Amino acid sequence: MKKPIQVFGPPSLLAALPYMLGFKPTNSLVCVLLVKESIIGCVRYEHEGNEEELFELIKTTIRNHQFDALVVVLAVTEIDQNCDALLSKFKLEQIELLDFLVTNWERYRSAICNDETCCPLQGNFLQATDHDQMAAELIANGHVAVNSRAELLARLNPVADRTAVKLAIDQATYQISAIDLMEKLTKLHRHPLQPTEIAEIVLALADPELRNVVEYELFESDLGELTKPDQLRLATANILHCATHTPDAFAAMPYGLLGFCYWNLGEWILATAAAAHALELNAVNSPAKLTQNLIQQGVDPVLARREIFPRAA
């Protein structure tokens, strides 16, 4: 596992967020969890004005994760808005904050600091140097950011021409082993997967026994925390490539498993979309149905891996 992403103050933390989430959030409240000045997780919520529901979700997040400090980031259009009501809610719920940052991605300010000399109401500019340094480190760690939610979701769109993969599936004469499947899924491919490789992976994922082996390996955890998150991210990228290049008749399982991978990584926007697409292709797709139920019930991945899945196994 690669080293945690260290941050050195608000500018570097804000520079990291789009890469941790996959896109630059707007109208959002983000809880950033820190251990020894390193980001160990971040959870994004829609900032829609329903504070009671919002804080129930936040309390669930706080309860199910181990961390040293919590920073809240409010991403909005106007950073000079009054945040007293939100701050009072955190205080009422006895949630201690290291900082409460408000940003429009051009400027930022702390809603906790009342010193106008360092935290003016109009905010401080975010410098390109802070962004570039953090971006380089995060990209090297496999994180990629896009500019909007729509652009993020566009990653799931099937490619126009999937005939080569269909032909490879039709011509397949054998099924790869669980060991070969794991090797293909967790390998960093310097070149795009070839149609024959995609066909091998897709047909193997359709076998419940092989899929169980893969899931056991990919979602391994210690007290609910993923033990190999970088391996899971790599496998997720490969499954995404397979899903988008596979004909609809065979694509439900790759998309369903993709949704469950995203859910385990805390990327619920992509998880929701991938699961929905899988269920459009096959209404009884099991990983997609599981993912959809977990998201609708607001189940935290760490809690589920720690308490629910071990009992099911």
Side-chain angles (χ1 to χ4, degrees):
M1 183 173 139
K2 296 181 177 68
K3 65 179 182 179
I5 303 301
Q6 284 195 305
V7 292
F8 307 96
S12 63
L13 184 147
L14 292 172
L17 276 193
Y19 292 90
M20 300 296 288
L21 294 169
F23 71 109
K24 188 177 289 185
T26 56
N27 297 321
S28 304
L29 186 145
V30 184
C31 287
V32 184
L33 310 178
L34 301 164
V35 171
K36 297 180 180 178
E37 298 182 340
S38 295
I39 297 176
I40 62 165
C42 53
V43 184
R44 172 190 168 275
Y45 309 92
E46 294 285 348
H47 183 237
E48 298 175 330
N50 188 340
E51 293 185 3
E52 293 300 326
E53 181 178 337
L54 172 63
F55 276 88
E56 284 301 314
L57 293 173
I58 291 174
K59 284 191 293 184
T60 300
T61 300
I62 302 306
R63 184 168 57 245
N64 293 316
H65 292 268
Q66 298 294 322
F67 57 93
D68 293 339
L70 172 66
V71 174
V72 170
V73 176
L74 184 63
V76 287
T77 304
E78 303 295 334
I79 69 170
D80 60 351
Q81 65 178 278
N82 191 310
C83 299
D84 290 346
L86 277 171
L87 286 170
S88 297
K89 193 67 177 177
F90 278 100
K91 186 175 181 179
L92 181 64
E93 299 291 348
Q94 297 184 327
I95 300 175
E96 186 175 350
L97 302 180
L98 178 63
D99 208 342
F100 187 117
L101 303 175
V102 188
T103 185
N104 60 4
W105 302 111
E106 293 180 359
R107 294 171 176 264
Y108 75 93
R109 71 180 181 89
S110 170
I112 291 178
C113 179
N114 296 314
D115 188 346
E116 281 283 325
T117 60
C118 64
C119 296
L121 193 59
Q122 70 272 21
N124 297 297
F125 277 109
L126 288 167
Q127 303 297 325
T129 52
D130 293 312
H131 171 271
D132 294 344
Q133 181 178 354
M134 182 58 69
E137 181 177 355
L138 285 162
I139 290 171
N141 276 267
H143 298 277
V144 180
V146 295
N147 291 320
S148 68
R149 181 173 180 155
E151 189 176 343
L152 179 71
L153 291 173
R155 292 181 182 179
L156 302 179
N157 293 341
V159 300
D161 186 2
R162 292 169 280 169
T163 54
V165 174
K166 182 181 186 304
L167 182 62
I169 291 175
D170 292 340
Q171 294 178 343
T173 57
Y174 73 99
Q175 182 170 278
I176 60 176
S177 67
I179 294 175
D180 289 336
L181 176 58
M182 273 300 297
E183 195 274 336
K184 289 180 182 294
L185 287 179
T186 57
K187 178 181 178 181
L188 178 61
H189 298 276
R190 299 297 180 182
H191 303 284
L193 288 165
Q194 295 302 303
T196 53
E197 293 177 300
I198 295 173
E200 289 173 343
I201 292 171
V202 168
L203 291 173
L205 290 178
D207 185 313
E209 291 187 6
L210 293 182
R211 195 168 64 251
N212 284 341
V213 172
V214 167
E215 291 175 347
Y216 181 82
E217 293 286 338
L218 292 182
F219 309 126
E220 180 185 350
S221 65
D222 181 11
L223 298 177
E225 298 289 349
L226 290 169
T227 57
K228 301 174 184 176
D230 293 324
Q231 178 178 271
L232 177 55
R233 286 190 179 278
L234 189 53
T236 301
N238 288 326
I239 295 170
L240 171 62
H241 185 82
C242 292
T244 57
H245 286 74
T246 298
D248 286 351
F250 302 91
M253 188 54 68
Y255 272 109
L257 183 57
L258 180 65
F260 192 56
C261 288
Y262 281 133
W263 177 80
N264 273 275
L265 290 169
E267 300 176 4
W268 288 18
I269 293 174
L270 288 170
T272 301
H277 187 63
L279 292 172
E280 288 175 1
L281 299 173
N282 181 355
V284 295
N285 181 268
S286 55
K289 289 178 66 177
L290 173 60
T291 302
Q292 191 176 73
N293 288 338
L294 290 166
I295 292 174
Q296 288 175 348
Q297 295 172 25
V299 178
D300 182 81
V302 175
L303 176 65
R305 289 190 295 263
R306 186 173 65 230
E307 298 184 10
I308 300 174
F309 295 151
R311 291 201 302 269

